[in-house]
């Protein structure tokens, strides 16, 4: 199938316009906290500050990542680098534990520690954001704190018996208790985000220890975390990598929605098209940074990408469903913002890696849903959750778990790929 160059150009123009005129200004106009340092990250449906007195290290780090990535990609005219530096100053001064090391989980607006636990999900973004910051600005502090975080993770979190990483720690790096405390669980989410963190850390440092750790994590994803038949992601495991029912942790760091009682329906057979396609494009990017391994990874990349495309994309209303069973089909037809963002990038990655015939129509499907339904154009950010048809269910523009990382990264990565695709036609 020949794809229409005009269609590609129109999508590229829409992405550029949204990013430059709506999405990036949304953040540049309101997120910098000049009074306390760091970023304000809680905004209502109109983009107004909700007054929430919380700063999660995750939201602070993700905003550093977003501003650094935008600057590195050539956007913002220097303001993004200035904002990223402002965020790094706050993280080093207020959020870094000067006694035990690592980033605290949350502070209040002023930077006083509220939750002092060390959570691997947040620490992965410590490595990712700080390494991206040095790549974008040349400021060596980013690399310094990314490497400090890496060293702590290897020292305290690496499971030398079963492989992978423990995920929930007290302030002093003692492992948290079992069950909802999370000390006896391992997750797809953390080990996938560690892959993106180790990729960017290795890109930043070029050090062999970071390369080896990245390759080790990729091997673990292949052998333990992906479904052996479908190459889909399995959400939660016991320490020894047995599949575990998906439960809600006391410290919520994810975005999944749970029924009352803390366990998900279909808790042992659900997978997310958004995660599977995100994993696929992140792994493809990792092979580029590694300078090899494409041949070993391409089969898994295509399988995960195709499963997400075939089971996650809504042919009737457009957009990406929330989740479904590994064998295919769908449980939850609502549409979350982050799955849309990751599948847009992944379908363009598929166009460039495997040819556009099988992926461009899927990209176009999700692109149209996002631009027509998911983006709150008068304000500039994306609705967090809509019905299958695209009516907003949740209406805040940002909070600690829904900030700018998926949306800003989506536009930066889609613009890059659409430009490449346009040039290839």
């Amino acid at each position: 199938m020949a794809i229409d160059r005009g269609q590609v150009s129109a999508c590229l123009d829409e992405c550029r316009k949204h990013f430059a005129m709506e999405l990036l200004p949304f953040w540049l106009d309101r997120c910098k906290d000049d009074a306390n340092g760091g970023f304000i990250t809680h905004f209502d449906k109109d983009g107004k500050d909700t007054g929430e007195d919380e700063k999660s290290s995750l939201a602070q780090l993700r905003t550093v990542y977003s501003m650094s990535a935008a600057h590195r990609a050539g956007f913002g005219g220097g303001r993004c680098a200035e904002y990223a530096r402002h965020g790094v100053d706050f993280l080093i001064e207020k959020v870094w534990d000067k006694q035990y090391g690592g980033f605290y989980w949350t502070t209040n607006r002023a930077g006083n520690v509220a939750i002092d636990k060390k959570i691997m999900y947040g620490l992965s973004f410590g490595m990712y954001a700080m390494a991206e910051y040095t790549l974008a600005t040349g400021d060596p502090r980013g690399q310094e704190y990314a490497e400090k975080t890496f060293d702590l993770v290897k020292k305290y979190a690496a499971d030398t018996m079963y492989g992978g990483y423990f995920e929930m720690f007290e302030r002093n790096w003692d492992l948290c208790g079992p069950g909802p405390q999370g000390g006896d669980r391992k997750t797809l989410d953390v080990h996938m985000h560690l892959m993106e963190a180790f990729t960017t850390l290795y890109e930043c440092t070029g050090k062999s220890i970071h390369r080896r750790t990245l390759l080790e994590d990729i091997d673990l994803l292949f052998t333990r975390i992906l479904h052996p038949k479908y190459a889909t992601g399995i959400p939660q495991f016991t320490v020894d990598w047995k599949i575990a029912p998906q439960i809600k942790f006391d410290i919520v760091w994810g975005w999944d929605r749970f029924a009352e009682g803390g366990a998900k329906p279909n808790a042992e057979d659900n997978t997310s098209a958004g995660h599977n396609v995100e994993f696929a494009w992140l792994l493809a990017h990792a092979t580029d940074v590694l300078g090899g391994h494409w041949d070993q990874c391409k089969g898994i990349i295509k399988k995960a990408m195709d499963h997400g495309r075939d089971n996650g994309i809504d042919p009737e209303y457009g957009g990406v469903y929330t989740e479904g069973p590994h064998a295919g089909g769908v449980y939850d037809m609502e549409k979350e913002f982050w799955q849309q963002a990751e599948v847009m990038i992944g379908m363009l990655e598929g166009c460039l890696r495997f040819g556009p015939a099988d992926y461009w129509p899927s990209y176009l499907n999700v692109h149209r849903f996002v631009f027509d339904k998911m983006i709150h154009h008068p304000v500039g950010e994306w609705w967090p959750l809509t019905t299958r048809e695209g009516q907003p269910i949740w209406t805040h523009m940002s909070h600690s778990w829904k900030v700018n990382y998926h949306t800003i990264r989506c536009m930066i990565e889609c613009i890059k790929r659409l430009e490449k695709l346009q040039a290839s036609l």
Side-chain angles (χ1 to χ4, degrees):
M1 180 196 84
I3 64 169
D4 183 345
R5 194 171 193 274
Q7 231 176 25
V8 176
S9 298
C11 289
L12 177 56
D13 288 345
E14 258 185 314
C15 287
R16 284 174 173 158
K17 182 181 173 189
H18 169 56
F19 191 47
M21 308 295 289
E22 295 174 343
L23 183 60
L24 197 53
F26 175 93
W27 291 99
L28 291 175
D29 289 349
R30 50 175 65 73
C31 78
K32 191 161 174 263
D33 185 347
D34 288 313
N36 300 295
F39 303 110
I40 295 163
T41 57
H42 290 73
F43 301 106
D44 68 13
K45 66 181 174 58
D46 300 313
K48 292 187 172 65
D49 179 1
T50 67
E52 172 65 45
D53 188 31
E54 177 182 274
K55 285 179 175 165
S56 77
S57 58
L58 183 67
Q60 300 298 308
L61 286 159
R62 283 179 158 181
T63 305
V64 166
Y65 170 83
S66 297
M67 291 296 155
S68 300
H71 179 71
R72 190 177 168 198
F75 298 98
R79 280 183 78 196
C80 293
E82 175 202 331
Y83 278 45
R85 187 171 290 108
H86 175 82
V88 167
D89 291 344
F90 178 80
L91 282 155
I92 291 173
E93 185 181 332
K94 300 286 192 179
V95 189
W96 184 262
D97 183 342
K98 291 169 180 62
Q99 182 176 354
Y100 293 106
F103 294 104
Y104 296 118
W105 185 235
T106 62
T107 70
N108 66 7
R109 283 208 181 187
N112 301 308
V113 178
I115 299 174
D116 64 9
K117 287 179 164 51
K118 309 294 164 59
I119 309 295
M120 185 63 76
Y121 191 79
L123 296 168
S124 72
F125 280 91
M127 293 181 277
Y128 190 43
M130 290 300 206
E132 183 71 24
Y133 171 68
T134 291
L135 284 163
T137 67
D139 183 341
R141 294 181 303 159
Q143 181 176 331
E144 177 191 348
Y145 279 84
E147 290 201 71
K148 280 182 177 178
T149 305
F150 175 87
D151 292 346
L152 288 161
V153 164
K154 293 296 276 189
K155 180 177 180 179
Y156 292 114
D159 181 351
T160 53
M161 183 175 289
Y162 295 109
Y165 298 87
F166 297 103
E167 301 184 10
M168 303 282 209
F169 298 88
E170 305 294 346
R171 181 190 173 191
N172 67 353
W173 295 97
D174 284 347
L175 195 59
C176 289
Q181 293 179 65
D184 62 350
R185 290 294 172 103
K186 291 173 181 170
T187 65
L188 158 72
D189 224 345
V190 161
H191 288 79
M192 185 182 77
H193 285 299
L194 284 170
M195 179 178 73
E196 73 187 344
F198 296 150
T199 299
T200 302
L201 181 59
Y202 174 59
E203 184 183 1
C204 181
T205 70
K207 291 186 177 179
S208 63
I209 181 63
H210 301 142
R211 179 187 181 89
R212 290 201 309 274
T213 303
L214 170 58
L215 288 167
E216 183 183 84
D217 190 50
I218 290 169
D219 182 66
L220 186 86
L221 285 158
F222 280 17
T223 57
R224 297 292 195 186
I225 294 176
L226 297 186
H227 192 288
K229 182 173 180 182
Y230 302 110
T232 45
I234 299 167
Q236 285 186 21
F237 299 86
T238 59
V239 167
D240 58 355
W241 296 108
K242 292 183 176 69
I243 296 172
Q246 201 176 354
I247 59 168
K248 184 176 181 178
F249 298 122
D250 292 341
I251 292 190
V252 176
W253 45 256
W255 187 246
D256 288 321
R257 306 189 306 290
F258 289 83
E260 291 302 315
K264 293 193 73 155
N266 313 301
E268 295 193 33
D269 181 25
N270 73 82
T271 191
S272 156
H275 261 153
N276 296 329
V277 176
E278 182 182 17
F279 162 75
W281 84 256
L282 285 169
L283 179 56
H285 173 62
T287 66
D288 290 342
V289 171
L290 287 164
H293 300 275
W294 170 251
D295 287 341
Q296 297 97 303
C297 296
K298 68 180 179 183
I300 291 281
I301 290 169
K302 191 169 193 308
K303 201 171 187 180
M305 203 176 268
D306 290 358
H307 189 283
R309 177 199 64 198
D310 296 341
N311 296 286
I313 295 177
D314 184 343
E316 187 174 351
Y317 293 100
V320 184
Y321 301 126
T322 298
E323 62 192 16
H326 292 282
V330 58
Y331 292 138
D332 184 344
M333 289 187 170
E334 290 174 347
K335 313 283 170 66
E336 287 179 310
F337 78 103
W338 68 266
Q339 283 103 329
Q340 318 307 311
E342 298 306 327
V343 171
M344 282 175 70
I345 303 169
M347 291 302 102
L348 288 176
E349 189 71 25
C351 287
L352 294 168
R353 300 275 182 175
F354 304 112
D358 293 336
Y359 301 97
W360 178 252
S362 300
Y363 172 77
L364 206 55
N365 169 307
V366 184
H367 176 106
R368 278 273 52 86
F369 181 84
V370 165
F371 277 84
D372 296 344
K373 302 287 188 180
M374 186 65 70
I375 297 171
H376 186 20
H377 288 286
V379 176
E381 248 290 347
W382 301 20
W383 298 114
L385 180 70
T386 74
T387 63
R388 182 187 181 192
E389 296 79 10
Q391 291 299 310
I393 297 172
W394 291 346
T395 59
H396 54 272
M397 290 291 97
S398 176
H399 64 20
S400 286
W401 326 125
K402 192 264 176 190
V403 274
N404 41 48
Y405 147 75
H406 287 288
T407 53
I408 284 181
R409 185 172 74 172
C410 174
M411 285 300 103
I412 291 169
E413 298 296 333
C414 284
I415 288 166
K416 280 184 205 167
R417 286 163 179 76
L418 285 164
E419 285 172 347
K420 281 186 187 172
L421 193 58
Q422 185 184 53
S424 73
L425 296 174

